[in-house]
Amino acid sequence: MKIQVAADLLDGLVLALLDKKDYYGYALTQDIQKAISISESTMYPVLRRLRSSGYLTTYDQAYEGRNRRYYKITDEGRKHLNRVLEMWTNYKQSLDKIFFTSSKGDE
C-alpha cells in the first residue's frame, strides 16, 4: 500500500535535501525515491513550481560535454522549509495520538 504524498510534504522533502547541498534534477529524484515513490515526470514540475515561487534558484554546470541544471535553495526556500517542518510536526503528532495512544480502559 502506498500513501499519497501531499504537495506541501513533497516540497518539504525537496527543500530539505537542497538545504544540505545543491542537486541536479536526476540525482535529486533518485534521493527522494529512497523515501517515497515518485517519477521524474512528477519531480520536474515540482522543481519548476518551487523555482517560480522563489524557493529555488538554478545554475548550469558542465558535465561530460553537457550542462547539468543544479537547484539551490534560497533564503525564502529555507523559510518555507521551516513552515513545512512545523506543519509536518503538528500533523505527525496528531496522527501519533491516534496510532499510539492506548484505548484500553476507555470502553
Side-chain angles (χ1 to χ4, degrees), residues 39-88:
S39 67
E40 285 181 64
S41 63
T42 300
M43 180 61 71
Y44 284 103
V46 170
L47 292 169
R48 281 193 297 274
R49 182 173 43 77
L50 290 172
R51 183 178 177 206
S52 69
S53 297
Y55 301 145
L56 303 178
T57 59
T58 60
Y59 61 92
D60 292 340
Q61 190 168 20
Y63 177 78
E64 295 183 356
R66 297 179 46 180
N67 277 337
R68 280 185 174 164
R69 173 142 303 158
Y70 280 81
Y71 296 86
K72 179 180 180 79
I73 193 169
T74 64
D75 289 339
E76 281 304 309
R78 283 187 185 86
K79 290 176 189 174
H80 186 61
L81 172 58
N82 288 332
R83 288 189 296 268
V84 171
L85 286 171
E86 184 177 341
M87 288 186 298
W88 169 252

Side-chain angles (χ1 to χ4, degrees), residues 83-95:
R83 288 189 296 268
V84 171
L85 286 171
E86 184 177 341
M87 288 186 298
W88 169 252
T89 300
N90 294 335
Y91 183 70
K92 183 180 180 311
Q93 287 172 349
S94 347
L95 294 180

